[in-house]
Amino acid sequence: MPITVERAEKLLAENFAPWVLDLGLTVEETGESHAVLRLPWSERLAREGGALSGQALMAAADTAVVVAVASARGGFVPMTTVQLSTSFQRPVLGADVLVTARLTKLGRALAFADIALTTEDALAAQATAVYALLG
């Protein structure tokens, strides 16, 4: 059974480093094999020229996968990123980003995910991730 949005918010608060929490991520949705997080626009996360930094987008994608795995497994388990590959397609200027992580395979030891990062229904970046499940 997937975890609730409220439980996912608690998972974020209890299991992530302060700098990840500083991104201001909120959980919008959880399901049996996915999670949707919102990365709010912040000038603090923008680089020269006003575009949201790639580092913030990648951290949001990475975090969304943890929530998706926890939702699929019914709770948080220790895990670590094995691979995260991101392709940036357009700059994010002054807009929140919805980060949708969908598990493509969840095994006993590894989880695989596709992540879409969108603004107002336009794809800003897409990523793939592999996680090692440690518990």
Side-chain angles (χ1 to χ4, degrees):
M1 170 182 251
I3 63 173
T4 64
V5 168
E6 293 78 19
R7 192 161 168 209
E9 288 281 353
K10 187 175 179 184
L11 177 152
L12 282 175
E14 294 176 351
N15 293 285
F16 286 88
W19 69 267
V20 175
L21 299 177
D22 286 347
L23 294 173
L25 293 164
T26 57
V27 180
E28 298 277 314
E29 182 181 324
T30 56
E32 289 188 21
S33 63
H34 77 282
V36 180
L37 277 59
R38 178 178 296 274
L39 174 63
W41 169 258
S42 169
E43 296 245 351
R44 259 185 95 218
L45 301 177
R47 35 182 288 118
E48 188 175 323
L52 196 62
S53 74
Q55 294 94 332
L57 292 168
M58 290 182 75
D62 197 51
T63 304
V65 175
V66 173
V67 176
V69 170
S71 189
R73 301 230 12 211
F76 179 78
V77 296
M79 62 188 93
T80 189
T81 310
V82 173
Q83 177 269 332
L84 178 64
S85 177
T86 307
S87 297
F88 301 98
Q89 302 193 6
R90 64 177 39 92
V92 175
L93 302 165
D96 289 359
V97 178
L98 286 181
V99 185
T100 304
R102 296 196 183 282
L103 301 179
T104 57
K105 181 177 181 185
L106 179 60
R108 287 181 305 187
L110 294 174
F112 298 81
D114 288 334
I115 307 101
L117 297 98
T118 59
T119 61
E120 301 171 4
D121 296 326
L123 188 64
Q126 61 187 40
T128 60
V130 179
Y131 264 77
L133 307 177
L134 307 173

